[in-house]
Amino acid sequence: MQLYNTLTRKLEQFEPTDPEDVKLYTCGPTVYDYQHIGNYSAYVRWDTLVRVLQASGYDVHWVMNITDVGHLVSDADEGEDKLEKGAKREGKSAWDIAKFYMDDFMLGLTALNIQTPTHIVRATDHIAEQIELVKTLEQKGYTYTIDDGVYFDTSKSKDYGKLARLDLAGLQAGARVELNPQKRGATDFALWKLTPTGQKRDMEWDSPWGKGFPGWHLECSAMSMKYLGETLDIHTGGIDHIPVHHINEIAQSEAATGKQFSRFWLHCNHLLVENTKIAKSAGNGILLHHLAEQGFTPLDVRMLLLQSHYRTQANFTHGALQAARQRRLALQAFADLRFQTIDGGELDAAAFEQTKAVMLEELKEDLHTPEALAALSDLVTAGETNLVSANAHAAFVEFLDFVDATLGLQLLASSDITSEQKQLIREREEARRNKDFAKADQIRLALDANHLAVRDTPLGTIWSRTA
RNA sequence: GGCACCUUGGCGGAGUGGUUACGCAGAGGUCUGCAAAACCUUUUACACCGGUUCAAUUCCGGUAGGUGCCUCCA
């Protein structure tokens, strides 16, 4: 499999260290608010990665974190984090906020047919591991303590910022953030933040350095290493994570272990809405339930995302979502032909095998989902024209299973029509043979009331769902 | 100010040094008892200006426009 590795900025052949098992870590959400479609787009992308790895024969140990503490509102902030802020906003505790939005996130994953990671881990459940990691770094001399916390000294880090290819000198000159004057370097980052004297936070823990909470980057290193070991095969995240979060993860992890933290780094680009960055201030953070109100399902969103490549900046528009929905419905109608394979149908097992091979090849080439869909659409066209041979029924179902496994569109979730509905179709065919067109049209209306459309082919009547 | 990316037909969106991406929408047609569906065809797409080349949308340089990151962010 070929994957684009941000470390080298090149497509590389991917093989896991353990040939049986891929160790994959994905940066998950901070659960202080609803996740919008932009947030979810990343998880659809990484779910696709997992699916393709699985289809390529690997077991995947997939860990995703839930950040339920410690992401500061800004670098210059005096200690308020998003959870605390959300709690203040809603008059609840930070713990309640985290639970509520994490539960909502999990529902969103299910709705989008994103597989549940092997481990989905909360930062607050791993405070001890994070403290241990800081202790290790302290023992190895990578830290210093100032009035508001324990910091990582990036000047001691070998190749700091290599992933981001940062111009550190330029970065410092152009820094707009007010630094804590005690910080030794502009890029140094907090490992443990101390609760200011006299204050009480919803979330705080005792530590060797005093009461406080872990720094922003610590959890990913501590939890990924706990569940996957010191070297990951693949670490994924949004493109925005490259310059700060991921270089800091690398710095602290590699300082602690002396080993490479992750062999591959994959980053997805952001989804725009109407060609604009999704931002709270722009009010364009569309939620899944907004789309549901307009009659779109989460799978329509999934289709929209599959039509673009994960490293491009895709654009979400109402028109594009409509188009994606139409395409998905056409695909579903094709899948429903498995209930209607027919003697004389021309699509045979070989056609399914061939398309599967093309799709898998495209997907294994850095997740070329648009090309995989194009190959699928070609087959759909052929199937609608020539119908599916009765001999190919098993191959067809197997093929659809492959498509569901890789693209996650749940094509096999539909069921056959009822025997009553089938009887109606037979009666209509009989009426047409008898040239009793009035009766035939009457039955067609009855079928329409059942949300079924029929089309008459030389080989017989084929139905499709209209809703 | 620094760094990076992008500019493809009505919309979305791939890809390639010479061959139809694909999807959605529109138009015409075929088929059909009819309607629908389905299928076929279709509007000569690659921002602009140079360069390299037998040949560039596809490589190089420049211009214009756009976006992202540098600051919590998928």
Side-chain angles (χ1 to χ4, degrees):
Chain A
M1 182 164 184
Q2 297 271 319
L3 293 173
Y4 183 86
N5 190 349
T6 306
L7 273 177
T8 56
R9 311 283 157 118
K10 281 184 190 136
L11 275 180
E12 292 181 35
Q13 184 67 30
F14 172 76
E15 300 286 349
T17 306
D18 176 346
E20 301 279 299
D21 180 30
V22 177
K23 299 178 183 68
L24 171 68
Y25 185 87
T26 292
C27 280
T30 303
V31 285
Y32 69 108
D33 204 341
Y34 292 110
Q35 299 295 302
H36 56 63
I37 51 169
N39 302 129
Y40 279 122
S41 75
Y43 307 116
V44 170
R45 307 285 196 199
W46 305 132
D47 178 55
T48 305
L49 170 66
V50 170
R51 290 169 177 277
V52 174
L53 286 166
Q54 289 167 335
S56 304
Y58 299 119
D59 283 334
V60 182
H61 270 79
W62 185 19
V63 176
M64 185 192 291
N65 67 299
I66 299 288
T67 299
D68 54 359
V69 65
H71 265 199
L72 300 181
V73 171
S74 78
D75 200 16
D77 192 270
E78 286 305 307
E80 185 180 47
D81 75 30
K82 285 180 169 181
L83 271 294
E84 301 264 346
K85 198 179 176 187
K88 213 174 280 177
R89 180 185 70 216
E90 299 187 20
K92 298 175 183 168
S93 78
W95 293 96
D96 292 337
I97 292 291
K99 171 150 186 21
F100 179 83
Y101 290 112
M102 177 173 166
D103 288 349
D104 185 76
F105 174 64
M106 298 307 289
L107 290 176
L109 292 187
T110 304
L112 284 158
N113 196 26
I114 293 167
Q115 298 187 29
T116 305
T118 321
H119 298 284
I120 189 147
V121 292
R122 298 178 64 157
T124 53
D125 288 337
H126 298 81
I127 299 298
E129 288 84 349
Q130 295 180 68
I131 289 173
E132 279 308 307
L133 184 54
V134 180
K135 279 193 198 165
T136 303
L137 291 170
E138 191 172 45
Q139 281 157 18
K140 295 196 172 189
Y142 283 98
T143 70
Y144 61 90
T145 302
I146 55 179
D147 59 5
D148 66 347
V150 182
Y151 281 77
F152 185 92
D153 185 342
T154 54
S155 71
K156 298 200 171 148
S157 172
K158 186 169 163 281
D159 291 333
Y160 179 73
K162 188 173 144 196
L163 176 75
R165 308 198 166 178
L166 290 181
D167 172 3
L168 292 179
L171 192 73
Q172 289 173 28
R176 283 193 259 150
V177 183
E178 275 189 50
L179 302 174
N180 181 325
Q182 295 180 25
K183 263 174 76 169
R184 293 179 190 169
T187 54
D188 293 353
F189 56 92
L191 296 166
W192 188 265
K193 288 281 262 186
L194 295 166
T195 304
T197 315
Q199 285 189 25
K200 166 80 180 155
R201 296 167 49 87
D202 284 346
M203 291 180 167
E204 57 184 9
W205 294 266
D206 288 323
S207 82
W209 312 279
K211 204 171 279 266
F213 57 100
W216 337 332
H217 312 295
L218 199 58
E219 59 178 273
C220 287
S221 293
M223 298 194 293
S224 63
M225 290 197 278
K226 171 174 178 176
Y227 291 97
L228 296 172
E230 293 178 337
T231 298
L232 313 174
D233 288 310
I234 305 173
H235 193 307
T236 72
I239 193 169
D240 52 287
H241 281 151
I242 298 171
V244 179
H245 183 50
H246 286 169
I247 64 176
N248 289 344
E249 273 189 57
I250 291 171
Q252 67 197 4
S253 302
E254 299 190 352
T257 67
K259 294 176 186 163
Q260 182 173 33
F261 179 45
S262 181
R263 300 168 53 235
F264 279 71
W265 287 84
L266 271 56
H267 293 96
C268 60
N269 212 321
H270 285 181
L271 181 70
L272 303 181
V273 168
E274 305 287 348
N275 278 308
T276 310
K277 178 191 174 179
I278 300 176
K280 278 260 159 60
S281 55
N284 58 357
I286 297 170
L287 306 179
L288 291 176
H289 78 254
H290 292 151
L291 298 174
E293 286 161 12
Q294 297 166 44
F296 295 105
T297 75
L299 291 179
D300 296 330
V301 176
R302 192 175 181 107
M303 176 58 96
L304 176 73
L305 292 167
L306 289 171
Q307 292 185 111
S308 66
H309 189 250
Y310 75 95
R311 287 193 284 113
T312 65
Q313 205 171 45
N315 189 21
F316 180 97
T317 65
H318 189 272
L321 184 61
Q322 183 70 34
R325 178 163 169 270
Q326 291 302 111
R327 185 177 199 175
R328 190 180 66 76
L329 291 174
L331 197 49
Q332 187 61 61
F334 171 73
D336 286 346
L337 288 178
R338 73 189 185 279
F339 302 119
Q340 309 178 72
T341 56
I342 198 164
D343 286 329
E346 289 177 32
L347 219 58
D348 57 12
F352 294 115
E353 282 301 312
Q354 196 187 345
T355 302
K356 176 180 170 178
V358 172
M359 289 178 69
L360 193 55
E361 191 183 336
E362 291 290 359
L363 291 170
K364 287 172 81 163
E365 197 173 325
D366 200 32
L367 309 179
H368 281 184
T369 53
E371 287 89 339
L373 276 179
L376 180 55
S377 284
D378 286 341
L379 186 71
V380 168
T381 299
E384 283 167 343
T385 312
N386 304 321
L387 303 181
V388 181
S389 164
N391 296 330
H393 180 268
F396 189 14
V397 172
E398 192 190 333
F399 173 76
L400 292 171
D401 191 51
F402 163 77
V403 175
D404 275 355
T406 49
L407 303 183
L409 293 169
Q410 296 185 321
L411 298 176
L412 286 172
S414 65
S415 53
D416 201 354
I417 58 174
T418 66
S419 52
E420 289 79 9
Q421 289 167 332
K422 286 179 184 171
Q423 179 61 27
L424 278 175
I425 289 170
R426 277 195 293 272
E427 285 172 18
R428 177 171 169 279
E429 287 184 288
E430 178 68 18
R432 289 183 70 238
R433 271 196 293 278
N434 297 333
K435 303 212 183 294
D436 184 354
F437 298 121
K439 184 176 180 188
D441 290 349
Q442 196 182 358
I443 295 174
R444 186 160 60 199
L445 284 173
L447 288 166
D448 187 54
N450 283 279
H451 302 295
L452 290 176
V454 287
R455 66 182 168 115
D456 302 309
T457 77
L459 296 177
T461 298
I462 299 293
W463 56 263
S464 60
R465 289 194 168 84
T466 56

